[in-house]
Amino acid sequence: MTLSKTGRLSRRNFLQTAAAGAVVAGMPLRASAAPKRGGHLRIGLGHGQTSDTMNPATYENNMITAVVFATHGRLTEVAQDGTLKPEVAESWEASDDATEWRVKIRSGVTFHNGKTVTAQDVANSINYHRGEDSTSAAKPIVAPIVDLSIEGDVVVFKLSGGNADFPFILSDPHLVICPADGDGIDWQSGIGCGSYKLKSFQPGISAVVERNENHWNPDVGWFDSVEILALIDQNARTTALVSGDVDAVDRIDLKTAALLQRKPDVSIKSVSGTQHFTFAMSANQDPFTDNNVRQALKYGINREELVEKILFGYGSVGNDHPIGSGQRYFNSELEQKTYDPDKSKWYLQQSGLDSVSVSLSASDAAFGGSVDAGVLFQASAKAAGIDLKVVREPKDGYWSDVWMKKPFSAVYWSGRPVEDQMFTTAYSCGAPWNDSFWCNDRFEELLKSARAELDDDKRRQMYWEMQDIVANDGGVIIPMFANYVFATNGSVAHDDMASNWDLDGLRFIERWWKA
């Protein structure tokens, strides 16, 4: 199976593109003028914490991810239209059974210190996430690599089974290319091969990057410099935008979005994609060890109410699995869960309980309105005999001290471009980011089989069953898919918006420019 010279692998049908799925304050997504170089961008993000580092094994929020998307290259990149295109890789080809992938490294790519990027740098960077001792969040997605070798400027990946989506895996934010350092990599210096150089980084506070004049791609990196500010407080972000202290902000207050867009210099962007807001239950801790209790909670939440009152229509109802309706293998025939306190009570009775009391941890660090969502959940669950206590957690340290530490917590996920990557990252048994600590033997069997299956109909059937299993046995409640909603002022220009991550696929630093 050989791909085109450009290495592009089409996935136009698996993901809604920004052009089809966006509403931008009545304005088209496509810019009216060609990009131009120059200027400084300041952006406020509702992400970032003091424990963030440049260690690629640990990236866990949008602020650090945005920084490393700009400063560090990856082998492949998800384009704005949802297709895959080469980045540090020049091209790739697979064996007929997709168990071996040969990736040719682009010539002329250099690190910020002038060193040429080699196949050895690539091999060390991928190997950094592999091995029994690895604690990387990317460990599950590289685990199928059983052998990695170098043949000149080609890196050869041998997999434990076929994987038609393997090039998409290589676009994962954690799989950055760093300079080789012995058998490991140098991530501590912040040196990458991206379109911007890291000037300063204060975890949980700010980061500054400057354009890399020697970057191989002339079609990215338009700003002279970019400053990213961690403005976790929603009011602070909005105030900074309105006052002109920043040029763009993410995660705007949806309650006031209509008022905000009336400002003469503010434009609201709303892009639908795979982002979903969740409540993760630790399936290894009581009472969540009992699936009847998990099902009771899933039927005790009013999804439509959350979409209306938390998302204000900027999203859609979820069905307790992470695959978006625009993705290639979305199960369109899976019965949609609706609020049903009687069914919720019935599941509680099956667990031998008349009532249950649980605490839900939430914070705006998880997603804007998560505490309010918890209060609405509390009210709807009460009719089913569920006493749900909402705990407002601090914003800083939420991802290090609450997520995957407290047994029931609010979470946001940006989703992943292909089903295998999403399921492997967050639902595979033992995965570092399996935030419900859930395991299911049948799911694991299907995960491996679907990854290797090249027959599209058979593969679809497997992914449909996996969505059913996650929805009706899994430890995560997914009540809503949320549009990416952010705002810019008149000084920012852009092309079509990607929908695989927030803020133009988190590539805003290299894709946007000064108007």
Side-chain angles (χ1 to χ4, degrees):
M1 181 171 60
T2 304
L3 281 73
S4 66
K5 291 182 180 179
T6 63
R8 296 178 73 89
L9 181 63
S10 176
R11 282 292 182 272
R12 294 180 186 274
N13 294 329
F14 83 82
L15 191 63
Q16 291 180 356
T17 65
V23 178
V24 188
M27 299 171 62
L29 281 174
R30 180 166 291 280
S32 57
K36 60 181 181 180
R37 300 203 186 278
H40 178 71
L41 174 73
R42 300 189 82 214
I43 185 167
L45 303 184
H47 315 259
Q49 55 185 13
T50 53
S51 58
D52 288 340
T53 74
M54 294 298 292
N55 184 347
T58 64
Y59 305 154
E60 63 182 11
N61 64 69
N62 281 9
M63 180 177 180
I64 185 66
T65 302
V67 171
V68 298
F69 263 137
T71 57
H72 289 66
R74 287 156 199 75
L75 288 170
T76 62
E77 173 187 353
V78 178
Q80 287 158 299
D81 63 357
T83 60
L84 195 71
K85 65 180 184 179
E87 193 175 342
V88 174
E90 180 180 287
S91 61
W92 53 84
E93 62 179 24
S95 60
D96 289 339
D97 60 359
T99 60
E100 180 177 297
W101 288 84
R102 301 176 61 84
V103 179
K104 183 178 181 181
I105 306 307
R106 185 184 300 277
S107 63
V109 180
T110 59
F111 288 109
H112 298 152
N113 60 2
K115 176 186 176 298
T116 298
V117 175
T118 68
Q120 190 65 60
D121 297 311
V122 172
N124 283 26
S125 296
I126 301 299
N127 282 335
Y128 182 73
H129 304 275
R130 301 174 63 212
E132 292 184 5
D133 297 331
S134 171
T135 58
S136 170
K139 180 179 179 179
I141 63 174
V142 298
I145 302 172
V146 295
D147 186 66
L148 192 157
S149 60
I150 298 172
E151 297 179 6
D153 60 356
V154 174
V155 180
V156 182
F157 298 90
K158 293 185 178 180
L159 311 181
S160 57
N163 188 347
D165 293 327
F166 183 69
F168 270 95
I169 299 300
L170 299 176
S171 72
D172 187 87
H174 301 89
L175 302 184
V176 297
I177 309 305
C178 295
D181 183 9
D183 293 332
I185 56 173
D186 168 24
W187 60 261
Q188 294 88 343
S189 66
I191 292 174
C193 58
S195 54
Y196 283 84
K197 299 178 180 181
L198 185 65
K199 183 71 174 178
S200 67
F201 177 49
Q202 300 179 74
I205 300 173
S206 67
V208 176
V209 298
E210 295 180 345
R211 186 170 64 238
N212 174 17
E213 298 289 354
N214 297 316
H215 191 247
W216 62 271
N217 187 355
D219 296 324
V220 298
W222 305 105
F223 299 110
D224 290 335
S225 57
V226 178
E227 183 177 8
I228 306 99
L229 302 172
L231 301 177
I232 308 300
D233 183 79
Q234 199 167 58
N235 290 331
R237 289 198 304 280
T238 303
T239 300
L241 177 69
V242 172
S243 65
D245 289 335
V246 298
D247 304 300
V249 296
D250 71 343
R251 303 175 72 169
I252 66 171
D253 186 349
L254 300 181
K255 294 191 296 292
T256 60
L259 292 175
L260 185 60
Q261 74 181 30
R262 295 178 186 173
K263 301 289 184 181
D265 200 37
V266 172
S267 176
I268 306 297
K269 277 77 174 173
S270 176
V271 181
S272 65
T274 55
Q275 177 176 240
H276 49 282
F277 295 161
T278 79
F279 299 115
M281 304 172 281
S282 295
N284 60 351
Q285 296 188 44
D286 291 331
F288 307 116
T289 55
D290 190 334
N291 187 43
N292 287 305
V293 173
R294 301 198 297 266
Q295 286 284 72
L297 284 158
K298 291 175 182 178
Y299 281 101
I301 191 167
N302 191 328
R303 301 158 195 269
E304 290 81 2
E305 183 179 42
L306 292 186
V307 171
E308 177 187 351
K309 295 182 178 179
I310 301 300
L311 300 184
F312 292 85
Y314 289 100
S316 58
V317 168
N319 202 20
D320 300 330
H321 68 76
I323 307 306
S325 61
Q327 291 189 260
R328 186 179 182 188
Y329 297 115
F330 172 75
N331 188 340
S332 59
E333 296 180 4
L334 183 64
E335 182 179 355
Q336 173 64 55
K337 284 193 183 71
T338 58
Y339 176 50
D340 191 335
D342 291 333
K343 184 173 286 189
S344 181
K345 286 181 182 178
W346 182 85
Y347 275 110
L348 273 186
Q349 291 168 359
Q350 302 311 300
S351 67
L353 301 172
D354 292 324
S355 62
V356 67
S357 180
V358 295
S359 294
L360 172 64
S361 295
S363 166
D364 280 349
F367 59 85
S370 70
V371 175
D372 291 339
V375 172
L376 291 173
F377 190 2
Q378 178 186 57
S380 63
K382 186 176 182 180
I386 299 171
D387 176 23
L388 193 153
K389 298 178 175 64
V390 182
V391 180
R392 183 187 293 270
E393 302 283 2
K395 297 171 185 175
D396 188 44
Y398 184 82
W399 299 109
S400 57
D401 302 331
V402 178
W403 181 57
M404 299 188 71
K405 301 293 193 302
K406 301 292 181 70
F408 196 18
S409 63
V411 190
Y412 80 91
W413 280 91
S414 295
R416 295 296 185 270
V418 290
E419 289 80 355
D420 177 69
Q421 191 176 8
M422 185 68 235
F423 282 140
T424 301
T425 300
Y427 294 86
S428 178
C429 186
W433 281 9
N434 180 338
D435 54 14
S436 66
F437 302 92
W438 172 77
C439 293
N440 180 285
D441 290 342
R442 175 59 177 165
F443 178 85
E444 296 298 318
E445 176 187 346
L446 288 166
L447 183 63
K448 294 177 181 178
S449 298
R451 182 184 300 138
E453 181 56 63
L454 301 182
D455 183 290
D456 200 58
D457 290 335
K458 292 180 180 178
R459 202 173 189 212
R460 178 177 292 103
Q461 185 177 358
M462 293 177 188
Y463 282 125
W464 278 34
E465 184 179 348
M466 291 164 72
Q467 290 166 65
D468 193 337
I469 293 171
V470 170
N472 291 301
D473 183 76
V476 178
I477 302 169
I478 306 180
M480 50 186 166
F481 274 69
N483 290 5
Y484 298 116
V485 185
F486 49 98
T488 64
N489 63 23
S491 71
V492 176
H494 57 80
D495 208 322
D496 289 345
M497 292 284 187
S499 60
N500 58 308
W501 295 86
D502 200 359
L503 293 164
D504 201 357
L506 285 177
R507 296 274 186 166
F508 62 93
I509 294 176
E510 62 179 16
R511 290 177 180 171
W512 297 359
W513 63 92
K514 279 287 185 179

